[in-house]
Amino acid sequence: MQFSKGRVRGGGDGSGPSDGHHEARGPAPTDMPGDVPFDDPWYDALASGWGEAGTVAVPVPAARQGQGPGPDDHLAAAEVYLEVQRSPAFQEVRSRYRRFVVPATVAFFLWYVAYVVAATAAPGLMARPVVGAVNVGLLAGLGQFLSTFLLTWAYARHARLRRDRAALELRWDTQELTRGARGGAA
């Protein structure tokens, strides 16, 4: 038998489905040899209350014999991530992200809704010819594609100029703090 993401698959002896679709036959074992533990401190912190003081209960995965960091190292690393998440530098990066994304999303959504409403409520306006067979509706539809590409370009430019350097510095600082919290282990 083969285990994959919680599904048990037939071992090729004809007992499993042969059409390529595999159904679950029970829960996946959690302590199989070779399993990689899921130690993402961000996941634990965010899932338990967004890193608010006094509400974070980070589960400590059981350390396997002679492999990987011990339970205290996982707690120390989780605390490092929570500390970084509370830092003014992290909050500034998130703020810069929100200051771009929220207005851009609202503007793009309004532009899309305006196009759909105009297409349904004002068919005469949308059918008005501009040049030859090209009408206002066709130009507005092509404008939807153009605005998508322009928004993607603007987002990438904003990220490159306003957030990437600060986020990279946070990443390096976090890695250094995590390395120190684990006692120099990588």
Side-chain angles (χ1 to χ4, degrees):
M1 293 265 175
Q2 239 179 14
F3 295 94
S4 174
K5 296 190 182 199
R7 287 181 256 163
V8 180
R9 297 186 177 176
D13 59 355
S15 63
S18 60
D19 62 354
H21 298 289
H22 304 288
E23 58 188 60
R25 294 195 195 332
T30 56
D31 296 322
M32 291 296 296
D35 278 354
V36 177
F38 184 68
D39 328 312
D40 185 359
W42 286 113
Y43 177 80
D44 293 332
L46 297 177
S48 63
W50 291 86
E52 296 171 1
T55 62
V56 177
V58 179
V60 179
R64 289 181 280 169
Q65 296 175 0
Q67 294 180 359
D72 293 337
D73 295 338
H74 289 293
L75 284 175
E79 289 300 320
V80 166
Y81 281 96
L82 290 173
E83 179 182 328
V84 169
Q85 185 181 15
R86 292 181 194 116
S87 73
F90 181 84
Q91 297 304 320
E92 179 62 27
V93 169
R94 294 297 296 165
S95 175
R96 289 178 185 177
Y97 171 77
R98 287 185 197 111
R99 282 192 302 247
F100 179 85
V101 168
V102 171
T105 301
V106 168
F108 188 79
F109 183 72
L110 289 175
W111 158 234
Y112 174 74
V113 168
Y115 171 71
V116 171
V117 168
T120 56
L125 172 68
M126 298 299 265
R128 182 173 293 159
V130 176
V131 176
V134 177
N135 60 21
V136 173
L138 181 62
L139 289 178
L142 292 173
Q144 289 288 315
F145 286 103
L146 178 63
S147 65
T148 301
F149 292 120
L150 287 174
L151 186 59
T152 303
W153 170 80
Y155 176 81
R157 182 175 185 273
H158 181 269
R160 181 174 36 89
L161 296 177
R162 307 257 188 237
R163 293 190 326 264
D164 285 353
R165 180 167 293 154
L168 185 60
E169 288 174 8
L170 269 173
R171 177 182 175 193
W172 286 114
D173 292 345
T174 304
Q175 287 177 351
E176 288 298 318
L177 289 170
T178 304
R179 201 172 287 124
R182 291 183 177 170

